[in-house]
Amino acid sequence: MFADPSSRSAQLYERACKVMVSGNTRATVFSSPYQIYAASALGCRIYDIDGVERIDFQNNYSVLIHGHAHPAIVESVEEQLGKGFCYGLASESEISLAELLCSPVPSFECIRFVNSGTEAVITAIRAARAYTGRPKIAKIEGGYNGAYDFVDISIRSAPHDWSDGSNAPTGVPESRGIPDCVLSNVVVIPFNDPVTAVRILEQHKEELAAVVVDPLPPRVGLIPATREFLEALRDFTQSSGSVLIYDEIVSFRLGYQGAQVELGVEPDLTTIGKFVGGGFPFGAVAGKKEVMAVFDLRGAGAPLIWHGGTFNANPITMSAGLTTMQMLTPEAFMRLASLGQQARERITEEFRAAGIPGQATGLGSLFRIHFTDRRFTNYGDFYPLPVEKKRMEWLVRYFLNHGILVSNIALGAISTVMGEAEIQQLVDTLSAALQEMKREHTMET
Ligand SMILES: Cc1ncc(COP(=O)(O)O)c(C=O)c1O
């Protein structure tokens, strides 16, 4: 049972705290009073060092689309390991993965590999700045785009920072030490409010290099961008000469063509990451050749951006990614989407049956659980009340103690090794949690 001071995880955590601040190097896996340590994982199950087994709906924040240690990925990585881990030369595997990723997505005219989602976002923003010669970027309120100063703004902004339609949202630095020169070069726009967003953007149009938007932002409630919003951003960027960047690091899970084809509006650049690397560190920027030409090394003189990276396109990630993507046939994506829909519908039904406000949002294989019936389309409507947040945190912990792992924002990602039995277990556990919540009357405020 979490939290147990005599557990091996608690002991390890104590050891970790002696050499790492808060015993941790990754805020997203931190939990109090200690972190749970994994021992191993296979398929859709993960085992901690105290021997507790859980169904893994977290899948390392959506990375593991084929679950843990999938034999085909293990085989491709083992084969590559025998041929060398990384080279100071290019390898054919990067061409194969690039071809496979670019061919189905019209806006992916070419691609550049890096090693994380954060790096992909940094690289896309650098490309947009070099291409336009302008300094500013715009991002959506509530959107998370990685650990980088220029996007570490207004991720958790509170009601008094929001736009009321007549003013722009206040840019709120998430971390201390972000210089004013960064803040003054970031424009915050409200999600799914095309009129206000464009009005704000117009005020900065001469200086804007890029508008960065996640078409299915997990931290804005995992609700999709409306076509109207994306079209407004597309029209603005086209007419003002700035670059439209989609952060599809999570939403690319919707299918081979990501969210952009499903939502019907094409960006100039897209960042991808997470599952595409098959569980190995991965990120990429893909997009229009005209913009990506800023990295071109072939002309006379220096390129606009000289972009290196010791582990970029490393053959281990490339082979794991290639095998991962090859297994993701249209049928596999359809099956994932159908399981996702089943999960979302059944979760929402459980809340109704229990008489507790709640629902699941999401698309494709992704779901997020909320303790409210409110229909939301923007950050303001989504923003959880303290009681909703408290209930969500209680549920995540209940899941943890009853064999289910989801992320700490109750975000889940279904993998291809899951089936209806795992969805059933998720729904049954939710049902038991809601009954306990009602019995205990602990969550009233
Ligand atoms: C939408 C989005 N963009 C960017 C990132 C950053 O990716 P990474 O953690 O691989 O640096 C994340 C990570 O969760 C994300 O969800």
Side-chain angles (χ1 to χ4, degrees):
M1 211 56 174
F2 185 80
D4 172 4
S6 66
S7 64
R8 291 195 60 211
S9 276
Q11 288 159 18
L12 266 195
Y13 182 65
E14 213 179 302
R15 200 175 123 205
C17 284
K18 294 190 177 128
V19 281
M20 288 178 261
V21 176
S22 67
N24 171 280
T25 60
R26 185 180 173 195
T28 37
V29 302
F30 179 77
S31 59
S32 181
Y34 60 84
Q35 299 170 158
I36 294 180
Y37 289 80
S40 66
L42 188 63
C44 65
R45 282 160 211 279
I46 184 159
Y47 305 87
D48 72 22
I49 56 162
D50 289 289
V52 180
E53 174 183 327
R54 297 180 178 91
I55 300 182
D56 193 355
F57 281 97
Q58 191 220 49
N59 277 312
N60 193 16
Y61 286 83
S62 84
V63 168
L64 298 156
I65 202 161
H66 298 301
H68 295 274
H70 191 287
I73 301 173
V74 172
E75 192 186 327
S76 65
V77 169
E78 275 177 355
E79 193 190 323
Q80 179 58 47
L81 282 171
K83 296 193 260 178
F85 315 154
C86 56
Y87 316 121
L89 295 173
S91 70
E92 189 176 344
S93 57
E94 70 195 66
I95 308 172
S96 307
L97 184 57
E99 287 167 345
L100 200 149
L101 290 169
C102 287
S103 62
V105 191
S107 78
F108 287 16
E109 292 173 3
C110 54
I111 194 162
R112 198 163 184 91
F113 295 115
V114 289
N115 292 288
S116 70
T118 296
E119 244 190 287
V121 169
I122 293 172
T123 308
I125 290 175
R126 291 184 71 206
R129 288 204 174 113
Y131 175 70
T132 59
R134 301 174 185 168
K136 290 190 178 176
I137 64 137
K139 76 171 287 286
I140 58 166
E141 189 166 43
Y144 178 72
N145 308 105
Y148 174 46
D149 278 0
F150 281 93
V151 289
D152 198 21
I153 310 283
S154 294
I155 298 168
R156 286 172 300 182
S157 49
H160 54 269
D161 302 312
W162 301 343
S163 162
D164 63 4
S166 59
N167 60 332
T170 312
V172 185
E174 291 293 323
S175 311
R176 192 159 175 196
I178 293 181
D180 287 347
C181 63
V182 169
L183 202 55
S184 59
N185 279 301
V186 178
V187 176
V188 180
I189 53 171
F191 184 64
N192 275 348
D193 179 349
V195 174
T196 311
V198 169
R199 195 173 39 70
I200 297 165
L201 293 170
E202 284 287 341
Q203 292 162 16
H204 302 269
K205 70 175 176 192
E206 308 292 329
E207 297 164 292
L208 265 177
V211 177
V212 182
V213 59
D214 178 343
L216 184 67
R219 285 171 193 271
V220 188
L222 202 67
I223 41 169
T226 60
R227 194 183 172 115
E228 201 192 357
F229 182 61
L230 295 179
E231 272 171 357
L233 299 183
R234 181 66 284 181
D235 290 347
F236 167 81
T237 46
Q238 223 140 35
S239 67
S240 65
S242 50
V243 176
L244 182 58
I245 301 174
Y246 282 1
D247 177 346
E248 289 228 41
I249 285 159
V250 172
S251 65
F252 204 63
R253 226 180 193 267
L254 297 192
Y256 253 107
Q257 300 177 306
Q260 55 195 267
V261 170
E262 185 148 339
L263 299 177
V265 185
E266 236 181 50
D268 299 305
L269 297 183
T270 302
T271 57
I272 56 174
K274 305 260 188 202
F275 79 91
V276 182
F280 291 81
F282 176 80
V285 184
K288 298 284 161 63
K289 274 196 174 136
E290 193 185 328
V291 184
M292 297 289 278
V294 299
F295 299 109
D296 199 334
L297 300 161
R298 291 168 296 187
L304 293 187
I305 298 181
W306 190 95
H307 175 237
T310 305
F311 294 108
N312 289 0
N314 76 80
I316 303 292
T317 299
M318 296 297 109
S319 15
L322 196 57
T323 308
T324 297
M325 295 308 292
Q326 281 164 344
M327 286 193 290
L328 287 170
T329 57
E331 294 71 36
F333 272 121
M334 268 163 61
R335 184 175 168 275
L336 280 173
S338 144
L339 287 173
Q341 190 174 346
Q342 221 184 91
R344 290 186 294 274
E345 285 174 1
R346 295 195 57 199
I347 288 167
T348 305
E349 274 164 26
E350 279 312 315
F351 276 103
R352 285 219 184 101
I356 293 179
Q359 62 180 310
T361 55
L363 282 178
S365 55
L366 299 161
F367 65 87
R368 185 172 171 185
I369 304 174
H370 311 271
F371 276 85
T372 176
D373 289 334
R374 269 192 318 279
R375 294 280 145 217
F376 35 81
T377 55
N378 59 44
Y379 181 67
D381 292 343
F382 149 73
Y383 194 77
L385 298 170
V387 64
E388 295 163 10
K389 194 159 176 272
K390 197 167 139 194
R391 287 178 172 194
M392 193 262 298
E393 285 164 1
W394 180 89
L395 178 68
V396 170
R397 189 149 297 194
Y398 182 94
F399 275 164
L400 203 59
N401 281 326
H402 293 83
I404 302 278
L405 187 64
V406 293
S407 87
N408 55 13
I409 56 166
L411 178 73
I414 292 162
S415 67
T416 56
V417 292
M418 288 177 169
E420 291 185 4
E422 283 74 30
I423 306 297
Q424 184 66 48
Q425 199 156 335
L426 172 72
V427 171
D428 288 346
T429 313
L430 174 68
S431 169
L434 297 179
Q435 291 315 316
E436 180 157 332
M437 199 172 247
K438 278 186 5 187
R439 258 195 319 274
E440 300 292 323
H441 296 291
T442 51
M443 296 290 145
E444 251 92 326
T445 53

